[in-house]
Amino acid sequence: MIRKIFVTNLLLLFAVALIAQVKSPEEFLGYKVGSRYTPHFKIVNYFQHVAANATASVKIQQYGETNEGRPLLLTFISTPENMKNLEQIRLNNLRLANLANDKAAPNEESVPAIVWLSYNVHGNETSSSEAALMTIWALVDPSNTKTKEWLKNTVVIIDPCINPDGRDRYVNWFNSVVGKNANPQLISREHREPWPGGRSNHYNFDLNRDWAWQTQIESRRRVKVYNEWMPQIHVDYHEQGLNQPYYFAPAVQPYHDVITSWQREFQSTIGKNHAKYFDAKGWLFFTKEVFDLYYPSYGDTYPTYNGAIGMTYEQGGGGAGGAAVINDEGDTLTLFDRANHHFTTSLSTIEISSINAGKLIKEFRKFFNDAVSTGIGEYKSYVIKNNPKDKERVESLLELLNKNGIQYGTGSGTGKGYNYNSGKEESFSFSNDIVINAVQPRSAMVKVLFEPKAKLVDSATYDITAWALPYAYGLEAFASKEKLTGSGSINKVTVNNAETTYGYVIPWNGLQTVKTVGQLLQKGILLRYAENPFEVNGNKFERGAVIVLKTANKFFGDNLWSEVKKIANNNNTLLYPVSTGFVDKGKDFGSGSVHPFKAPKVALLTGEGIGSLGAGEIWHFFEQQIDYPITLINLTDINRADLSDFDVLIMPDGNYRFLSDKDGAEKFKDWINKGGRVIAIEGAVGALAKAEFGIKLKKTDTDEKKDDKKEKVSYDVLRKFEDRERDGIPNMTPGSIYKVEMDNSHPLAFGYPNYYYTLKMDDNVYEFIKDGWNVGVIKKDNQVAGFVG
């Protein structure tokens, strides 16, 4: 017994000796945290240093790499005993969530709660990564006995920087313009971040809107690991305007109705613990304002809908804060102040989680037991019609479900439910179609992502209000209150295309088709498209079908068909061999309604004056989704650019001052008149309308009343000061789904049915185009889901 105690004490002494070798951030970096900005590589170096010198209590894991090659890291911190059982803790946590493959009964007693802290999702909200350095040191510092007690029943997971590319874009810029000492005057250049800013990732994409959709590499890698752990607590660290103090939970309404009473209550429990420390320091804060829990793709809502207590913390000073800035009250807010506030809530979160670890585990277990016993929400099944023409979009939807761990199968039978297309309750039949059962571990996510119309208790919301996946993917679907069976498995078929000696037809069905066609064009292969439906070899093809023939492709000789097959097989695109241009029904391949086309040269306006996020999503779409070349032109260079080098110019949301310049506008019109094509998005459409480019903004009913000189004096203009934040709501469309009626005989609408669901982000309405085709039209009462003022 004495020997056993001696060995145990020896091991403890050895562990303490190892930890004693860990340097504080100040010792390691050579400066105090918050006195200057820390580049990402130094943050990585410090976390690696801690992991290398505190091996008994810290483990580091690289879970991915950014577009620019920077590592994405997670660090696990707990007691040596917990760390030895880390994999068993993870597996047991999945059993608690009914997500483990082994189906073994979980241990619900004396197991640690998992606390996941995510820092710096917006690159120019920089103080939180500095706080991460302070937090990990507090957890391993041998003299900090409090944190050692907390770690006995918690495992802390730290992601020190979700967005390394954005952070370094900001930090490298700031460090290049700041002087010997930080200048707190707001007019100083160090507070004027240049375009595109550091908020977004490499592709100027907002990672804080990407948790559920996972369009970006950082999100896909992170959420994959997140769903392998399923923490009880998740915090997403942000910064807000420099004149705001600090925000922490509880959130403001609207709350989505899947959020449980316990999740709501514990937000308040955490908030009160934070308030204790902030009050003691005399720091200001606010709760229950601005930040709601509704849109499902945030760093607070996504964890919440997956059983956690998900929270956003917001520190004042992001972007314009620099290293020090004078706010409206005349106080100087420093980087250290900002980091210290985030550090304080970090430790407070771990502390209150440790105090309530048992309750957290119990309620987490109940959340998932309820999900698999009764399911969440009135709809118990969602049926997606697996129509052949929708193959690519169905596959894209299933890929998204796989990313989010949502279970599904195939089934056949009859049912009754809400038809997403008609908006009515109808009887329907299904045969080998996709069935998503609401009674499953991720029942809350199923309801949130699929319900036709989410309940909205307060219209003063922070983001879009509609996102139902059947509308997003344009699929025929039903939501049923019946529990329908979908036990069949779905195996993705790998295409191995057949040979041909004459030609191929490619149905114009989705993004994989676009990718295939784009790659064929880039190889210099001439393609044709059919303006009308046709039938050949017993197959029916809709408008827009792409035809590959030897005609005009003789340069490739015998290698043509092997090249076409290789590209199509790589993209899993089915080619239909044809042996003749004499069709069974419709127009023959030599008809004037079968048009040849070559690769269009595409340019995107970007830079100062352009919305960086709007430009970024288009850039990402071309490069990463359809793999098609696109030239990015700075808006400031538009007048010197030779647009004759391009066929298509894309104008994202932005401020197009060149359209107000007579010579610039005439030059632009001349390019269009010579065959140039413009794709204008959001505010760019309004700019073209203002410049009289054939588009006219439609007057609203309110505008027409103002023009009525006989209108009587109204007291409606009188407003209350306390209602100022809500006065704009009647004229607001924060993001709602509308049904667009399509003319699918027009090439712009090839591949679509006679409708399309759009997410409308503003209340602008335009007059019908008189000299041309109105390919898509929103008619009165075509709003489908979401809030409209």
Side-chain angles (χ1 to χ4, degrees), residues 305-342:
Y305 301 152
N306 279 283
I309 310 297
M311 295 165 292
T312 290
Y313 297 167
E314 296 266 358
Q315 164 63 45
V325 66
I326 299 172
N327 63 22
D328 283 354
E329 294 184 352
D331 286 340
T332 299
L333 177 67
T334 68
L335 175 59
F336 174 77
D337 295 333
R338 291 152 54 199
N340 197 28
H341 297 163
H342 272 327

Side-chain angles (χ1 to χ4, degrees), residues 112 224 426 600 665 708:
K224 181 178 184 295
E426 296 175 5
D708 185 358

Side-chain angles (χ1 to χ4, degrees), residues 173-322:
W173 164 78
F174 182 86
N175 288 341
S176 74
V177 299
V178 71
K180 179 181 177 182
N181 299 307
N183 189 329
Q185 298 295 327
L186 192 57
I187 195 62
S188 174
R189 68 173 183 170
E190 65 206 64
H191 302 289
R192 293 292 182 265
E193 185 184 3
W195 196 96
R199 177 184 179 89
S200 53
N201 75 343
H202 172 80
Y203 281 104
N204 304 143
F205 210 94
D206 188 340
L207 295 178
N208 190 42
R209 269 76 175 172
D210 199 40
W211 277 76
W213 320 131
Q214 298 168 52
T215 67
Q216 304 299 297
I217 188 65
E218 297 93 339
S219 305
R220 290 195 295 274
R221 297 291 183 263
R222 181 181 68 257
V223 176
K224 181 178 184 295
V225 182
Y226 183 94
N227 285 327
E228 291 170 354
W229 278 91
M230 298 293 287
Q232 282 76 43
I233 298 285
H234 181 266
V235 182
D236 194 26
Y237 289 86
H238 290 261
E239 291 190 80
Q240 54 189 334
L242 64 89
N243 292 306
Q244 301 297 318
Y246 196 99
Y247 163 81
F248 49 72
V252 70
Q253 289 282 9
Y255 281 42
H256 198 286
D257 60 2
V258 302
I259 300 174
T260 67
S261 298
W262 156 254
Q263 288 175 313
R264 300 171 193 231
E265 291 166 9
F266 199 72
Q267 286 224 343
S268 294
T269 300
I270 288 181
K272 289 175 182 177
N273 204 59
H274 297 343
K276 175 180 67 178
Y277 291 105
F278 274 58
D279 288 342
K281 296 283 189 178
W283 298 339
L284 290 177
F285 60 89
F286 67 94
T287 66
K288 303 182 289 293
E289 291 184 74
V290 183
F291 304 102
D292 57 53
L293 289 172
Y294 194 66
Y295 173 68
S297 204
Y298 284 131
D300 53 9
T301 49
Y302 185 87
T304 299
Y305 301 152
N306 279 283
I309 310 297
M311 295 165 292
T312 290
Y313 297 167
E314 296 266 358
Q315 164 63 45

Side-chain angles (χ1 to χ4, degrees), residues 9 34 59 80 87 226 234 245 289 310 367 379 392 466 511 513 546 604 609 622 624-625 658 765:
N9 288 337
K59 175 188 174 184
E87 179 61 10
Y226 183 94
H234 181 266
E289 291 184 74
F367 181 94
Y379 295 113
E392 290 189 26
L511 287 187
T513 305
V546 175
L604 169 68
F622 273 81
Q624 295 295 327
Q625 291 186 260
F658 84 92
V765 180

Side-chain angles (χ1 to χ4, degrees), residues 91 94-95 98-104:
L91 290 174
L94 292 181
R95 293 180 190 123
N98 299 310
L99 289 168
N101 293 327
D102 60 12
K103 307 301 180 185

